[in-house]
Amino acid sequence: MTKLEAFRLGLTVVSGVCWTVVYLEGIRLGFRDRSYAIPFFALALNIAWELLHTVFGFRAGVSVQTIINGVWFAFDVGILYTYFRFGRKYFPRNLPARDFIGWSLVGLITALGVEYAFIREFGVAVGAGYSAFLQNLLMSVLFIDMFVRRGNSEGQSPYIAVSKWLGTLAPTILFGILGEGGFPKGSSLILVLGIFCSVFDLIYVWVLFKFEMVRARAS
């Protein structure tokens, strides 16, 4: 294995570990705060992406990334459970519970359709990259929106914010600059999406740390 190959593998492992931290911390905080830790539409897209690319990945042969995708899917199902168990309180209270469930199922089905369309349009490898970074940017923005809407850090933590940032930065370097998988020469689109992910992720990190500092001074 060359140094470049080892560096590429290292970036893949960093991404896998950091996102696993996001999911595990999200499950823990979901139960602790009786909330959910990942914005729903980003969560729906994540679950759909992980399900499809775990299935297609194992069809093509076992790889480190495919195994990581399967682990992520299992943990995301745990976060989805916290969403259905505790997320009703964030839904308009004048609407019945069946509307909350129905709306959520529509979101999950839509996400699955969109992710599959990326595969049909661009192929498995390229579709995985484009969809992953687009939904990652959406998630970066929605994390900030979730904090603003809730008005507190319920279901959120700096650990999630920092791990999400690093877990996205690593594949930005891998697929956007070095080149990997369906992007052997890198990708300008992925690089731009990854840069903006970092911008919004760092804003979210700053917001959470500032909030925690203010709360610590007040206590």
Side-chain angles (χ1 to χ4, degrees):
M1 180 182 292
T2 65
K3 290 183 179 179
L4 183 57
E5 290 172 337
F7 185 55
R8 284 192 173 103
L9 178 60
L11 290 171
T12 300
V13 172
V14 167
S15 176
V17 170
C18 287
W19 274 103
T20 300
V21 170
V22 170
Y23 296 146
L24 288 174
E25 181 70 357
I27 293 171
R28 185 186 74 83
L29 291 177
F31 282 102
R32 188 196 71 179
D33 297 344
R34 301 184 66 81
S35 180
Y36 62 94
I38 294 182
F40 172 68
F41 286 105
L43 175 62
L45 288 167
N46 267 16
I47 286 180
W49 189 97
E50 289 152 4
L51 173 61
L52 289 173
H53 290 288
T54 297
V55 172
F56 281 101
F58 278 115
R59 283 182 181 178
V62 179
S63 68
V64 173
Q65 186 60 60
T66 300
I67 294 172
I68 290 173
N69 293 343
V71 172
W72 285 346
F73 174 74
F75 289 141
D76 253 344
V77 169
I79 295 178
L80 185 64
Y81 174 79
T82 63
Y83 167 78
F84 277 109
R85 183 169 179 182
F86 306 120
R88 174 70 178 87
K89 66 181 180 181
Y90 301 109
F91 202 69
R93 296 188 178 277
N94 60 325
L95 296 177
R98 67 174 180 272
D99 288 352
F100 166 69
I101 295 173
W103 176 252
S104 302
L105 291 177
V106 168
L108 290 168
I109 293 169
T110 300
L112 188 62
V114 168
E115 295 294 350
Y116 185 68
F118 268 97
I119 294 173
R120 293 284 296 178
E121 183 75 17
F122 300 107
V124 176
V126 175
Y130 286 156
S131 58
F133 280 88
L134 282 167
Q135 69 199 49
N136 221 316
L137 179 56
L138 174 67
M139 183 187 295
S140 298
V141 175
L142 289 180
F143 264 124
I144 299 171
D145 178 71
M146 185 171 71
F147 176 84
V148 172
R149 287 178 179 274
R150 292 181 180 178
N152 56 48
S153 61
E154 187 175 72
Q156 303 161 81
S157 81
Y159 294 109
I160 288 179
V162 172
S163 296
K164 194 273 186 201
W165 169 51
L166 295 176
T168 304
L169 180 61
T172 297
I173 297 170
L174 180 60
F175 292 96
I177 299 175
L178 298 179
E180 180 75 354
F183 307 93
K185 296 182 179 180
S187 168
S188 298
L189 176 58
I190 285 179
L191 180 59
V192 170
L193 291 171
I195 289 171
F196 280 112
C197 282
S198 281
V199 170
F200 286 103
D201 287 344
L202 289 172
I203 291 172
Y204 184 56
V205 169
W206 177 79
V207 166
L208 281 183
F209 271 106
K210 183 177 180 181
F211 180 83
E212 294 299 331
M213 288 175 60
V214 170
R215 187 166 65 176
R217 290 171 183 169
S219 61

